Amino acid sequence: MVKIFFDFETTGCYWNFDAPVQIAAICEKDGEIIDSFNELCRTTVTISPQATKVHGITREMIKDKRGEAVVLRDFVRWIRNHNCDMLIGYNSKAFDLPMLEIRCAKFGIPGVSDIKHMDGYYNCVKLAKDRNYYNLKTILGRKWNLGAVAEVLGFSKDGAHDALTDVKMLRNIWNKVEHDYPDLIS
């Protein structure tokens, strides 16, 4: 089974208005990492000061990077070329996935929602919340950010809000939950 874990760092907190400035993903086949994608991209959408405060990416850092449309096209192609069975994000059904689809549509790029062989998209945070794995609801209350969950489950959150670091945390969380709860996706 081919799983792709992905994350974006963005210009702000609105999936329908903002844009990615970093796209990262890890492709795993049968438990082994076989490839990764990690790229900063230039966009015409202004990076909000609040976003820069979170991820540290500035306009200066992306000014000489490849444009958003090219990076998005390559990212979607990368996903398709790996024959992805499962696309996994952390709270990205509410953010990263709609942003990916809307930004791809803006540039006339086919998104990922039509990949026929893909078993599905899985939202790690929703599954964990719905089933209260590891008693996380009690421990975390309303604080369900990736770093907090990683920390509770014994993973480092050092470097959080770098998209590739976040993808690695996501993969660790997913694989632990999937191992401990074999019914995770049933």
Side-chain angles (χ1 to χ4, degrees):
M1 170 160 307
V2 177
K3 300 174 189 168
I4 292 181
F5 302 88
F6 80 108
D7 186 50
F8 291 172
E9 297 304 330
T10 65
T11 60
C13 60
Y14 300 100
W15 63 264
N16 57 344
F17 172 75
D18 286 300
V21 291
Q22 183 186 17
I23 299 173
I26 291 174
C27 182
E28 173 186 292
K29 183 174 184 179
D30 302 325
E32 298 296 321
I33 294 174
I34 61 169
D35 201 1
S36 63
F37 186 101
N38 183 26
E39 191 165 347
L40 292 172
C41 58
R42 185 181 69 253
T43 182
T44 58
V45 178
T46 301
I47 304 172
S48 74
Q50 297 86 353
T52 294
K53 188 175 179 181
V54 170
H55 55 55
I57 300 170
T58 64
R59 171 72 57 203
E60 185 67 23
M61 292 170 68
I62 62 171
K63 73 177 186 178
D64 295 327
K65 301 300 180 187
R66 295 188 317 146
E68 176 189 355
V70 176
V71 175
L72 283 169
R73 183 200 65 223
D74 288 353
F75 178 59
V76 170
R77 186 178 295 149
W78 182 86
I79 290 171
R80 290 177 183 275
N81 287 344
H82 282 297
N83 295 313
C84 176
D85 295 304
M86 295 174 64
L87 188 59
I88 302 165
Y90 192 87
N91 204 31
S92 27
K93 193 163 192 175
F95 190 82
D96 303 66
L97 195 59
M99 178 179 278
L100 175 62
E101 294 299 316
I102 203 168
R103 298 307 289 177
C104 283
K106 173 183 173 47
F107 296 113
I109 301 165
V112 297
S113 61
D114 69 333
I115 298 176
K116 301 213 181 326
H117 66 272
M118 192 163 63
D119 178 40
Y121 167 78
Y122 296 91
N123 188 342
C124 191
V125 69
K126 180 158 179 21
L127 290 170
K129 275 183 179 179
D130 289 351
R131 298 177 186 178
N132 197 23
Y133 291 147
Y134 309 103
N135 201 26
L136 288 170
K137 281 184 186 178
T138 304
I139 296 168
L140 296 175
R142 297 182 57 84
K143 185 180 181 182
W144 278 80
N145 67 57
L146 180 65
V149 174
E151 208 168 39
V152 167
L153 297 182
F155 300 112
S156 172
K157 67 176 190 172
D158 291 346
H161 301 296
D162 167 80
L164 187 58
T165 300
D166 288 356
V167 168
K168 290 174 183 177
M169 275 192 284
L170 168 62
R171 178 177 177 261
N172 287 337
I173 291 167
W174 179 272
N175 287 336
K176 177 176 179 49
V177 172
E178 189 176 46
H179 176 267
D180 293 349
Y181 296 93
D183 65 336
L184 176 65
I185 57 173
S186 58

